[in-house]
Amino acid sequence: MAEVCRGVVPETDSSPSPPCESHSRVARRRRMELRKVKFVTPPETENGIKRPKLRIYSRFCDNAVENSCSDEENQLRLLVTNKGSPPTIIVAPILSPLNCTSLLVQSVACPKFGFASVCGRRRDMEDAVAIHPSFLQMEQENSGDLHYFGVYDGHGCSHVATKCKERLHELVKEELENNEGNDEWELAMDRSFHRMEKEVIAWNKTVTRATCRCEMQTPECDAVGSTAVVAVVTPDKIIVANCGDSRAILCRNGKAIPLSNDQKPDRPDELNRIQEAGGRVIYWDGPRVSGVLAMSRAIGDNYLKPYVICEPEVTITDRTAEDDCLILASDGLWDVVSNDTACGVAGMCLKGKAPPVSSAPASMPENGPVGVVNSDQGCSDASMLLTKLALARRSSDNVSVVVVDLRNNT
């Protein structure tokens, strides 16, 4: 048996090698010697440019939050633990290939929520969901944080819905900040939606087969659009801006209160507006603008201007202690599930009276779940159960559902 020698040879040790070692073994050991490591604080500037500082804010969300973020934000994942004690923050690279998120935080300041988004029986997934807790901190006294929730239902392709997911909350934030807190919600939302449409139309002009998933030539991208239902939750109000046939409802004391009105071509006021603009509503598998689009308002759809507009309808609702939850969803849910039924299902889940729901719905079509994100088990179960109910009732569209728990009066 070969003799094994052990030991650490200092760099300054000039003593001869042990007799058991060959010359090659000595050289190999010297290459493997431990070297001293010197830690140097990086300079404040590098090549004359000040190094950016990492900012960690003291406000954290109550749970795991998966948001849409920029490429820079997608480089980090923040994990916050030890609730009730000083938070421990672990920064780690995101390994998931998903385009969604990353910011996992904890705090009692943010409402609990959950959402589910499935492709359903459609060939492609064209829905998008954006959730941004504490996306804006108002400076006024006792104004608290503002929380943003949005559901976008694309048609023609997914890229307009994706652009809304990436940008609309930023535009809303800019408009509210520029408004200096005057609470002119209708004006801020209207400007945000119009700016969003201008960005989409400008972006469509640059779309080519190489950059657009719909593989359309540039002129054909004018036929792509998206609905948008957005809710901004403040400590005392719920502001909803709706453009299209996605919908928001408030569950209060077990009853459903609509916070938006579907903008369909056969709605009397919408029908009059379209006809006064010189357009027509043709019944082809339901009422459609020019026999094509099944909604009268949307972001995009430049080829149907001026009949299809992006002006949102805004409602402002005061919060009460009887509020249970807020539900936002695409028409894939509302086509087959009533407001009252959705409210009942969500309320049952929030009270813990519904059995736990697995993240993968039973009998899910081949295009299975696209996203299931939760910060609260009750909200997660409610969103998933509503999605499963829509599929069980043979919804043929993409289905996206967001459930926000309002019982903590956040």
Side-chain angles (χ1 to χ4, degrees):
M1 179 179 295
E3 184 177 357
V4 179
C5 295
R6 297 179 294 175
V8 177
V9 180
E11 292 182 356
T12 58
D13 191 356
S14 59
S15 59
S17 303
C20 64
E21 292 181 335
S22 65
H23 183 73
S24 61
R25 185 173 299 175
V26 173
R28 192 160 53 246
R29 177 183 295 174
R30 287 177 178 172
R31 288 195 298 268
M32 299 173 62
E33 287 176 357
L34 294 177
R35 304 291 184 184
K36 293 182 179 180
V37 179
K38 184 178 181 181
F39 292 91
V40 180
T41 303
E44 286 298 321
T45 61
E46 186 175 27
N47 297 329
I49 302 175
K50 189 173 181 180
R51 298 173 60 88
K53 295 181 180 179
L54 175 64
R55 294 183 179 180
I56 299 177
Y57 294 94
S58 60
R59 294 182 179 270
F60 300 98
C61 279
D62 195 355
N63 33 52
V65 178
E66 185 163 2
N67 292 338
S68 305
C69 296
S70 63
D71 292 339
E72 292 81 5
E73 289 168 324
N74 278 333
Q75 302 303 315
L76 298 177
R77 171 174 292 166
L78 302 181
L79 302 176
V80 180
T81 58
N82 302 334
K83 185 175 181 180
S85 61
T88 301
I89 300 180
I90 304 171
V91 180
I94 295 177
L95 302 179
S96 171
L98 296 176
N99 291 330
C100 322
T101 18
S102 341
L103 192 57
L104 304 179
V105 289
Q106 295 220 2
S107 157
V108 294
C110 297
K112 298 177 181 179
F113 70 90
F115 85 76
S117 187
V118 299
C119 186
R121 294 174 175 82
R122 284 292 180 91
R123 182 183 64 179
D124 298 314
M125 182 60 177
E126 296 178 338
D127 283 4
V129 175
I131 297 177
H132 299 275
S134 298
F135 86 113
L136 180 60
Q137 299 175 2
M138 303 300 289
E139 296 181 356
Q140 296 95 324
E141 185 178 0
N142 298 326
S143 59
D145 290 359
L146 275 60
H147 314 293
Y148 181 100
F149 304 91
V151 172
Y152 314 107
D153 182 1
H155 45 265
C157 183
S158 62
H159 67 252
V160 174
T162 301
K163 285 293 178 182
C164 291
K165 168 185 173 180
E166 295 171 351
R167 282 285 292 155
L168 188 52
H169 67 282
E170 296 177 352
L171 299 177
V172 171
K173 180 179 179 180
E174 290 176 9
E175 290 297 331
L176 291 176
E177 289 175 336
N178 295 337
N179 202 31
E180 298 181 354
N182 291 329
D183 291 338
E184 295 181 4
W185 290 102
E186 294 88 346
L187 182 60
M189 289 297 185
D190 184 71
R191 287 179 176 175
S192 301
F193 277 58
H194 278 87
R195 288 178 62 188
M196 187 72 249
E197 181 168 78
K198 288 180 180 179
E199 289 191 11
V200 166
I201 293 174
W203 184 82
N204 279 344
K205 295 178 181 179
T206 66
V207 172
T208 64
R209 288 182 181 273
T211 60
C212 184
R213 186 175 63 83
C214 66
E215 297 184 351
M216 290 185 177
Q217 296 288 354
T218 300
E220 296 174 336
C221 283
D222 282 344
V224 179
S226 175
T227 71
V229 59
V230 168
V232 176
V233 178
T234 77
D236 58 351
K237 297 182 185 297
I238 301 172
I239 298 89
V240 171
N242 180 53
C243 181
D245 57 1
S246 294
R247 190 183 306 169
I249 67 170
L250 172 65
C251 299
R252 174 175 290 172
N253 199 21
K255 297 182 179 181
I257 301 175
L259 299 185
S260 66
N261 191 1
D262 298 354
Q263 294 153 351
K264 294 287 191 179
D266 60 342
R267 206 177 82 179
D269 57 339
E270 290 294 281
L271 177 60
N272 291 336
R273 180 186 60 78
I274 293 170
Q275 291 177 343
E276 289 175 359
R280 297 179 61 192
V281 174
I282 300 174
Y283 286 78
W284 182 270
D285 190 23
R288 296 176 182 270
V289 179
S290 299
V292 179
L293 194 62
M295 65 211 68
S296 56
R297 301 191 190 192
I299 295 175
D301 297 300
N302 198 38
Y303 74 117
L304 288 176
K305 303 300 179 189
Y307 321 127
V308 175
I309 61 176
C310 67
E311 180 180 346
E313 292 180 328
V314 181
T315 62
I316 303 175
T317 305
D318 291 329
R319 296 181 58 178
T320 70
E322 296 180 338
D323 292 349
D324 298 321
C325 66
L326 172 69
I327 302 176
L328 283 74
S330 59
D331 66 329
L333 174 74
W334 305 119
D335 286 345
V336 294
V337 176
S338 68
N339 292 355
D340 290 334
T341 299
C343 185
V345 170
M348 183 174 56
C349 292
L350 293 178
K351 293 176 182 177
K353 296 182 179 180
V357 183
S358 64
S359 60
S363 303
M364 178 67 71
E366 292 182 359
N367 309 2
V370 169
V372 179
V373 177
N374 70 287
S375 70
D376 174 74
Q377 189 61 47
C379 293
S380 175
D381 287 349
S383 61
M384 202 66 233
L385 193 57
L386 288 171
T387 302
K388 292 179 68 174
L389 178 60
L391 295 176
R393 293 187 174 184
R394 309 299 296 177
S395 174
S396 59
D397 204 350
N398 304 144
V399 184
S400 296
V401 182
V402 176
V403 178
V404 184
D405 190 349
L406 301 176
R407 295 174 299 172
N408 293 332
N409 198 31
T410 52

